Structure formats: structure tokens, C-alpha cells
Amino acid sequence: MTPSVSIYPLQDISSSIVSGMGFGLMHTVTLYGILLSYSTGDATLFSPRCEQMSAFTLAAWLSLAFNALHVLLMILAFDGYRRGSRLRIGLAGVLHLTAELLTLLNMAKGGCAVMIPVEFALVGVVGLLTRIVTRQPGYRSSLRDRDGLLKLFGAGRRRSDATDSKIIDSAPPP
């Protein structure tokens, strides 16, 4: 195999999922990592504005929502960059700003009980939008074809000889 040939070329879907997960993880650590220092001991921590749930429960739900949102928005942004569409890139930014502004509901007394379902509703809307975008013609993804799916999940077996290296499907042809 020559070094210029790539068995696993980068595709938008795999690259954007990894990027979104990385960004989401760092977002969680940056915003909610300080809560770990308060988690030692027998008691729990409540906010005067959110008496319905502890600060740890609120942070866990928000972390889940924003991690999912970061993955979905990264898929949209990668597609926007690939197509050179400022509208799609801007949409990802506006949706992220909307999600962040929704956290201001937490400032009202009892607002956390409203904010969490609204954040997850936004994640659902962005998920539907992401599904529409990834189903469009021209979306660059190895998940579209059977060979790409085999490559992405490492299925099949490898045959390596001096002249060629390929992924060979272990299933019989249809």
C-alpha cells in the first residue's frame, strides 16, 4: 500500500461527530467542572432559583442536551463549510446562540423546570434539521453506501499483499 492511498478517508459525518463530541466534552468540563469540587461530602447543592432539583442534576441534564446539540450543530456546520454556504454556517451559530439564550430561563424562580424540556425540544428540532441536511444529494458521507458503512465500523476483513490493500466484505454478494 502506498502512503498516498487512504483506506479510511475522512468523511463529513465521522469528522463532525468526533468534533462535536470533543467540543461538547470541553464545554461540559469548562462550565460544570467546578461543581465537582462541591460534590464531596454527604449533602447536595441547591440553587435558590431552582428548588426542584439539585445543581448536579441540572448540570447533568444540560450537559446531555448541549453535548447532543454540539454534535448535531457540528454536522450542520461541516456541511455548510463543505458547500461554502454562509447561510448554513450562520444557521448553526444562530441555533447555538438560541440554546445558550434559553439557559436564561434559569434566572427565573423555578425556570429550570421549564428550561430543560425547552432545551431538549430544541435538540429535537435541530436533529430533524440535521436529518434533512444529511439526506440531501451531495452530502459527503461514507454512511450512504454499503462499503462506507463497512469501512466506518471496521467490518469485513483485510487482505494485504504487496500490490494492493482493500477492505473485503465478509458477507456473500446479494
Side-chain angles (χ1 to χ4, degrees), residues 77 83 91 94 115 126 139 150 158:
R83 295 177 191 265
L91 180 64
V94 167
M115 178 198 46
V126 174
Y139 183 75
L150 290 171
R158 292 184 188 197

Side-chain angles (χ1 to χ4, degrees), residues 63-147:
S63 294
L64 177 63
F66 273 98
N67 277 324
L69 192 64
H70 284 132
V71 170
L72 296 170
L73 288 176
M74 200 62 83
I75 293 170
L76 293 176
F78 265 63
D79 181 62
Y81 286 122
R82 174 84 56 208
R83 295 177 191 265
S85 171
R86 290 184 180 175
L87 178 67
R88 290 181 187 216
I89 297 167
L91 180 64
V94 167
L95 288 170
H96 191 278
L97 180 64
T98 302
E100 293 293 340
L101 289 175
L102 284 174
T103 61
L104 292 177
L105 290 172
N106 216 11
M107 301 300 283
K109 189 160 181 78
C112 60
V114 174
M115 178 198 46
I116 291 175
V118 172
E119 288 284 353
F120 277 99
L122 180 65
V123 169
V125 169
V126 174
L128 289 174
L129 182 61
T130 303
R131 181 173 170 82
I132 291 168
V133 166
T134 56
R135 299 286 183 218
Q136 288 180 342
Y139 183 75
R140 188 173 170 201
S141 169
S142 63
L143 291 178
R144 285 196 169 272
D145 59 349
R146 190 167 170 269
D147 293 333

